[in-house]
Amino acid sequence: MKKNILTGDRPTGQLHIGHYCGALKNRVALQDEYNTYVMIADVQALTDNFNDPEKVRKNVFEVAKDNLAVGIDPQKTTIFIQSMVPEIAELTIFFSNLVTINRLKRNPTVKDEIKQKHALFKDDVTFGFLGYPVSQAADITAFQADLVPVGEDQLPMIEQTREIVRKFNSIYGETLKEPRAKVGDVPRVLGMDGRKMSKSLDNSITFTDSDEEIRNKIKGALTNEVGAKNLLSLLEQFSDEQKMVEKFNQEFKEGTIKYSELKPFLAQAIIEKLKPIQEKRAYYDQNPKIVEEILIEGTKKARMIAKETLAKVKEKMFINYF
Ligand code: TRP
């Protein structure tokens, strides 16, 4: 029997080459070996975008197309929309008894995010946002995931999921699988301004950027210490010309690197690697019905699996009345 993977993306913007290096490439490689579920986390996206539901809705389809474009194969992988699997929300309610407020407040990722979102939450935070790790535990366990491929920032979520699973199993009896995180081994790609790469910071390269946009973005990238290392790291990941990668790295060490040479070379490498992805992306853009069909099928299948888990959970909790 194949093991299960569950992973998710928040539909708050198009995915970009940061996601590609950090998560998507890995996800595509694993889909043959694992029974893979890719969840479009619209419910989670709403926890800090509840005041912009149109944005979330639009990006559900963008993120679906991005996944398909990089090679997620709907024959192998189940792609689905979180809110269309209400069993996850039910599990969240049951799990919420197994987590304390103080434990949630100590989650380092949530803690950071609350600080970053001061404009939204002021000096407080919503129940929904503070509790999103509980909902993420439900996402993962609904599919009895063995493995959760994520970025490093998500490790605290997986740790909390494991705690919830252990607590559930110890109270109600062995029911849920304790998942493991799988973090990619590539360094985190930064945006062209040296900050975290993010569509909303306008410093990313996406799968719908034209060649010219890519050239201009790389041209405008910072070349201070952090920026230069980021360009070299991108080169490492996008160029197949090992000799040139070594040459630029050597020149960087010696302080003789010419960014007027590195930048166009890197831009070209990215353009070439993205070409097949962009072509596929354009195909799905022109065929929205096909994307919708994939999501309908995926969601149907996902719901069947989540229902099975929920039935087991309810039985163990003695709430399977008739
Ligand atoms: N929190 C993840 C992120 O911000 C998205 C996500 C939601 C997720 N549910 C998940 C990731 C379950 C892995 C497993 O990127």
Side-chain angles (χ1 to χ4, degrees), residues 13-30:
Q14 275 175 244
L15 301 182
H16 48 63
I17 62 169
H19 296 111
Y20 180 69
C21 298
L24 299 173
K25 236 199 277 183
N26 203 11
R27 187 180 291 180
V28 171
L30 291 168

PDB file of all heavy atoms in Angstrom, residues 13-30:
ATOM      1  N   GLY A  13      -2.592  34.355  -3.590  1.00  0.00           N
ATOM      2  CA  GLY A  13      -1.909  34.971  -4.728  1.00  0.00           C
ATOM      3  C   GLY A  13      -1.418  33.853  -5.624  1.00  0.00           C
ATOM      4  O   GLY A  13      -1.467  32.680  -5.234  1.00  0.00           O
ATOM      5  N   GLN A  14      -0.948  34.204  -6.811  1.00  0.00           N
ATOM      6  CA  GLN A  14      -0.381  33.178  -7.692  1.00  0.00           C
ATOM      7  C   GLN A  14       0.851  32.570  -7.028  1.00  0.00           C
ATOM      8  O   GLN A  14       1.551  33.235  -6.262  1.00  0.00           O
ATOM      9  CB  GLN A  14       0.075  33.816  -9.001  1.00  0.00           C
ATOM     10  CG  GLN A  14      -1.008  33.955 -10.032  1.00  0.00           C
ATOM     11  CD  GLN A  14      -0.484  34.707 -11.255  1.00  0.00           C
ATOM     12  OE1 GLN A  14      -0.950  35.787 -11.558  1.00  0.00           O
ATOM     13  NE2 GLN A  14       0.483  34.142 -11.946  1.00  0.00           N
ATOM     14  N   LEU A  15       1.135  31.329  -7.327  1.00  0.00           N
ATOM     15  CA  LEU A  15       2.379  30.730  -6.849  1.00  0.00           C
ATOM     16  C   LEU A  15       3.522  31.278  -7.704  1.00  0.00           C
ATOM     17  O   LEU A  15       3.304  31.794  -8.803  1.00  0.00           O
ATOM     18  CB  LEU A  15       2.296  29.204  -6.918  1.00  0.00           C
ATOM     19  CG  LEU A  15       1.150  28.597  -6.093  1.00  0.00           C
ATOM     20  CD1 LEU A  15       1.163  27.078  -6.182  1.00  0.00           C
ATOM     21  CD2 LEU A  15       1.195  29.039  -4.637  1.00  0.00           C
ATOM     22  N   HIS A  16       4.744  31.186  -7.164  1.00  0.00           N
ATOM     23  CA  HIS A  16       5.885  31.781  -7.862  1.00  0.00           C
ATOM     24  C   HIS A  16       7.096  30.861  -7.785  1.00  0.00           C
ATOM     25  O   HIS A  16       7.007  29.758  -7.220  1.00  0.00           O
ATOM     26  CB  HIS A  16       6.177  33.168  -7.286  1.00  0.00           C
ATOM     27  CG  HIS A  16       6.236  33.194  -5.777  1.00  0.00           C
ATOM     28  ND1 HIS A  16       7.180  32.493  -5.064  1.00  0.00           N
ATOM     29  CD2 HIS A  16       5.448  33.800  -4.860  1.00  0.00           C
ATOM     30  CE1 HIS A  16       6.994  32.699  -3.782  1.00  0.00           C
ATOM     31  NE2 HIS A  16       5.941  33.472  -3.617  1.00  0.00           N
ATOM     32  N   ILE A  17       8.226  31.316  -8.295  1.00  0.00           N
ATOM     33  CA  ILE A  17       9.398  30.428  -8.347  1.00  0.00           C
ATOM     34  C   ILE A  17       9.929  30.084  -6.955  1.00  0.00           C
ATOM     35  O   ILE A  17      10.630  29.099  -6.794  1.00  0.00           O
ATOM     36  CB  ILE A  17      10.530  30.976  -9.253  1.00  0.00           C
ATOM     37  CG1 ILE A  17      11.053  32.315  -8.736  1.00  0.00           C
ATOM     38  CG2 ILE A  17      10.057  31.085 -10.695  1.00  0.00           C
ATOM     39  CD1 ILE A  17      12.348  32.755  -9.434  1.00  0.00           C
ATOM     40  N   GLY A  18       9.577  30.880  -5.958  1.00  0.00           N
ATOM     41  CA  GLY A  18       9.929  30.516  -4.580  1.00  0.00           C
ATOM     42  C   GLY A  18       9.215  29.240  -4.172  1.00  0.00           C
ATOM     43  O   GLY A  18       9.817  28.313  -3.628  1.00  0.00           O
ATOM     44  N   HIS A  19       7.914  29.181  -4.475  1.00  0.00           N
ATOM     45  CA  HIS A  19       7.152  27.955  -4.211  1.00  0.00           C
ATOM     46  C   HIS A  19       7.704  26.802  -5.051  1.00  0.00           C
ATOM     47  O   HIS A  19       7.749  25.663  -4.615  1.00  0.00           O
ATOM     48  CB  HIS A  19       5.672  28.138  -4.578  1.00  0.00           C
ATOM     49  CG  HIS A  19       4.966  29.159  -3.759  1.00  0.00           C
ATOM     50  ND1 HIS A  19       4.539  30.355  -4.283  1.00  0.00           N
ATOM     51  CD2 HIS A  19       4.599  29.169  -2.460  1.00  0.00           C
ATOM     52  CE1 HIS A  19       3.934  31.053  -3.333  1.00  0.00           C
ATOM     53  NE2 HIS A  19       3.958  30.359  -2.223  1.00  0.00           N
ATOM     54  N   TYR A  20       8.084  27.141  -6.280  1.00  0.00           N
ATOM     55  CA  TYR A  20       8.567  26.108  -7.197  1.00  0.00           C
ATOM     56  C   TYR A  20       9.802  25.412  -6.634  1.00  0.00           C
ATOM     57  O   TYR A  20       9.863  24.184  -6.560  1.00  0.00           O
ATOM     58  CB  TYR A  20       8.879  26.724  -8.570  1.00  0.00           C
ATOM     59  CG  TYR A  20       9.384  25.715  -9.565  1.00  0.00           C
ATOM     60  CD1 TYR A  20       8.551  24.727 -10.062  1.00  0.00           C
ATOM     61  CD2 TYR A  20      10.713  25.746  -9.994  1.00  0.00           C
ATOM     62  CE1 TYR A  20       9.019  23.781 -10.966  1.00  0.00           C
ATOM     63  CE2 TYR A  20      11.189  24.812 -10.904  1.00  0.00           C
ATOM     64  CZ  TYR A  20      10.339  23.839 -11.382  1.00  0.00           C
ATOM     65  OH  TYR A  20      10.808  22.902 -12.266  1.00  0.00           O
ATOM     66  N   CYS A  21      10.772  26.207  -6.191  1.00  0.00           N
ATOM     67  CA  CYS A  21      12.010  25.625  -5.645  1.00  0.00           C
ATOM     68  C   CYS A  21      11.738  24.953  -4.305  1.00  0.00           C
ATOM     69  O   CYS A  21      12.235  23.865  -4.031  1.00  0.00           O
ATOM     70  CB  CYS A  21      13.057  26.718  -5.446  1.00  0.00           C
ATOM     71  SG  CYS A  21      13.535  27.513  -6.973  1.00  0.00           S
ATOM     72  N   GLY A  22      10.962  25.605  -3.465  1.00  0.00           N
ATOM     73  CA  GLY A  22      10.804  25.142  -2.096  1.00  0.00           C
ATOM     74  C   GLY A  22       9.845  23.981  -1.928  1.00  0.00           C
ATOM     75  O   GLY A  22      10.028  23.148  -1.049  1.00  0.00           O
ATOM     76  N   ALA A  23       8.804  23.909  -2.751  1.00  0.00           N
ATOM     77  CA  ALA A  23       7.764  22.930  -2.470  1.00  0.00           C
ATOM     78  C   ALA A  23       7.263  22.185  -3.707  1.00  0.00           C
ATOM     79  O   ALA A  23       7.125  20.967  -3.696  1.00  0.00           O
ATOM     80  CB  ALA A  23       6.588  23.627  -1.786  1.00  0.00           C
ATOM     81  N   LEU A  24       7.007  22.933  -4.780  1.00  0.00           N
ATOM     82  CA  LEU A  24       6.290  22.324  -5.911  1.00  0.00           C
ATOM     83  C   LEU A  24       7.098  21.231  -6.609  1.00  0.00           C
ATOM     84  O   LEU A  24       6.574  20.170  -6.936  1.00  0.00           O
ATOM     85  CB  LEU A  24       5.875  23.401  -6.920  1.00  0.00           C
ATOM     86  CG  LEU A  24       4.920  24.474  -6.383  1.00  0.00           C
ATOM     87  CD1 LEU A  24       4.715  25.572  -7.417  1.00  0.00           C
ATOM     88  CD2 LEU A  24       3.583  23.866  -5.998  1.00  0.00           C
ATOM     89  N   LYS A  25       8.391  21.492  -6.805  1.00  0.00           N
ATOM     90  CA  LYS A  25       9.239  20.519  -7.495  1.00  0.00           C
ATOM     91  C   LYS A  25       9.241  19.191  -6.739  1.00  0.00           C
ATOM     92  O   LYS A  25       9.083  18.118  -7.319  1.00  0.00           O
ATOM     93  CB  LYS A  25      10.676  21.070  -7.547  1.00  0.00           C
ATOM     94  CG  LYS A  25      11.234  21.154  -8.954  1.00  0.00           C
ATOM     95  CD  LYS A  25      12.741  21.242  -8.946  1.00  0.00           C
ATOM     96  CE  LYS A  25      13.235  22.671  -8.725  1.00  0.00           C
ATOM     97  NZ  LYS A  25      14.688  22.797  -8.779  1.00  0.00           N
ATOM     98  N   ASN A  26       9.396  19.310  -5.443  1.00  0.00           N
ATOM     99  CA  ASN A  26       9.397  18.164  -4.544  1.00  0.00           C
ATOM    100  C   ASN A  26       8.060  17.410  -4.608  1.00  0.00           C
ATOM    101  O   ASN A  26       7.995  16.192  -4.682  1.00  0.00           O
ATOM    102  CB  ASN A  26       9.624  18.718  -3.130  1.00  0.00           C
ATOM    103  CG  ASN A  26      10.183  17.681  -2.191  1.00  0.00           C
ATOM    104  OD1 ASN A  26      10.599  16.606  -2.625  1.00  0.00           O
ATOM    105  ND2 ASN A  26      10.176  17.988  -0.912  1.00  0.00           N
ATOM    106  N   ARG A  27       7.007  18.175  -4.600  1.00  0.00           N
ATOM    107  CA  ARG A  27       5.642  17.629  -4.634  1.00  0.00           C
ATOM    108  C   ARG A  27       5.417  16.819  -5.910  1.00  0.00           C
ATOM    109  O   ARG A  27       4.849  15.730  -5.883  1.00  0.00           O
ATOM    110  CB  ARG A  27       4.705  18.838  -4.606  1.00  0.00           C
ATOM    111  CG  ARG A  27       3.268  18.546  -4.474  1.00  0.00           C
ATOM    112  CD  ARG A  27       2.471  19.847  -4.464  1.00  0.00           C
ATOM    113  NE  ARG A  27       2.674  20.662  -3.271  1.00  0.00           N
ATOM    114  CZ  ARG A  27       2.076  21.831  -3.062  1.00  0.00           C
ATOM    115  NH1 ARG A  27       1.253  22.338  -3.959  1.00  0.00           N
ATOM    116  NH2 ARG A  27       2.303  22.510  -1.957  1.00  0.00           N
ATOM    117  N   VAL A  28       5.876  17.364  -7.016  1.00  0.00           N
ATOM    118  CA  VAL A  28       5.723  16.680  -8.305  1.00  0.00           C
ATOM    119  C   VAL A  28       6.524  15.380  -8.304  1.00  0.00           C
ATOM    120  O   VAL A  28       6.059  14.338  -8.752  1.00  0.00           O
ATOM    121  CB  VAL A  28       6.170  17.602  -9.468  1.00  0.00           C
ATOM    122  CG1 VAL A  28       6.226  16.843 -10.786  1.00  0.00           C
ATOM    123  CG2 VAL A  28       5.226  18.796  -9.582  1.00  0.00           C
ATOM    124  N   ALA A  29       7.737  15.441  -7.751  1.00  0.00           N
ATOM    125  CA  ALA A  29       8.596  14.249  -7.729  1.00  0.00           C
ATOM    126  C   ALA A  29       8.000  13.148  -6.854  1.00  0.00           C
ATOM    127  O   ALA A  29       8.187  11.965  -7.135  1.00  0.00           O
ATOM    128  CB  ALA A  29       9.987  14.629  -7.222  1.00  0.00           C
ATOM    129  N   LEU A  30       7.290  13.530  -5.808  1.00  0.00           N
ATOM    130  CA  LEU A  30       6.778  12.533  -4.855  1.00  0.00           C
ATOM    131  C   LEU A  30       5.457  11.900  -5.278  1.00  0.00           C
ATOM    132  O   LEU A  30       5.049  10.887  -4.720  1.00  0.00           O
ATOM    133  CB  LEU A  30       6.613  13.176  -3.468  1.00  0.00           C
ATOM    134  CG  LEU A  30       7.909  13.554  -2.739  1.00  0.00           C
ATOM    135  CD1 LEU A  30       7.603  14.442  -1.539  1.00  0.00           C
ATOM    136  CD2 LEU A  30       8.669  12.311  -2.298  1.00  0.00           C
TER     137      LEU A  30
END
